[in-house]
Amino acid sequence: MKWNLRLTAANKGVWKASELQRSLAEHGLVISAGKMSGLWSGQPVSLKLEDLDVICVVLDCEIGDLLIPEPEKVHRPGQAEATERAAVGAGTAAPKVVPKRRDGRSLPP
């Protein structure tokens, strides 16, 4: 998931983290300056669903405005093998197999 708070806030006319922090406090969500800085400039490690509700109310937005799915980053079982097979089929030559004798010497042409 991509955290999109800053752009969502800017689209609503909120340009500073301190502005948003004050508005959130007015709605009952008191956030420390450090946590607000993390929400504003980074990707939160965890966030309560109730806090997301308050953020959505304050910014008059939907959860999809704040959290953008990134399904391409999800590892799927068998994905690596399929990617390798696709690369071979897309012009990457497979290594050439050269038959050899049991003693390791090459076969005559």
Side-chain angles (χ1 to χ4, degrees), residues 63-104:
I63 193 69
D65 298 325
L66 295 173
L67 296 170
I68 299 172
E70 296 179 302
E72 67 278 359
K73 290 187 176 181
V74 176
H75 171 73
R76 294 177 174 88
Q79 184 177 21
E81 297 83 17
T83 303
E84 289 170 10
R85 284 193 301 269
V88 169
T92 305
K96 185 176 179 182
V97 177
V98 180
K100 295 191 177 208
R101 295 181 181 178
R102 288 186 184 181
D103 62 5

Side-chain angles (χ1 to χ4, degrees), residues 14-71:
V14 178
W15 298 99
K16 294 181 180 179
S18 58
E19 261 182 88
L20 180 58
Q21 187 178 14
R22 276 191 299 278
S23 295
L24 292 172
E26 289 170 3
H27 285 80
L29 178 58
V30 178
I31 297 179
S32 69
K35 185 170 181 177
M36 189 66 222
S37 175
L39 289 175
W40 189 256
S41 61
Q43 178 104 357
V45 175
S46 66
L47 193 58
K48 293 179 183 178
L49 295 177
E50 295 84 16
D51 296 351
L52 281 173
D53 278 334
V54 175
I55 293 169
C56 286
V57 167
V58 167
L59 294 177
D60 189 29
C61 68
E62 299 291 324
I63 193 69
D65 298 325
L66 295 173
L67 296 170
I68 299 172
E70 296 179 302

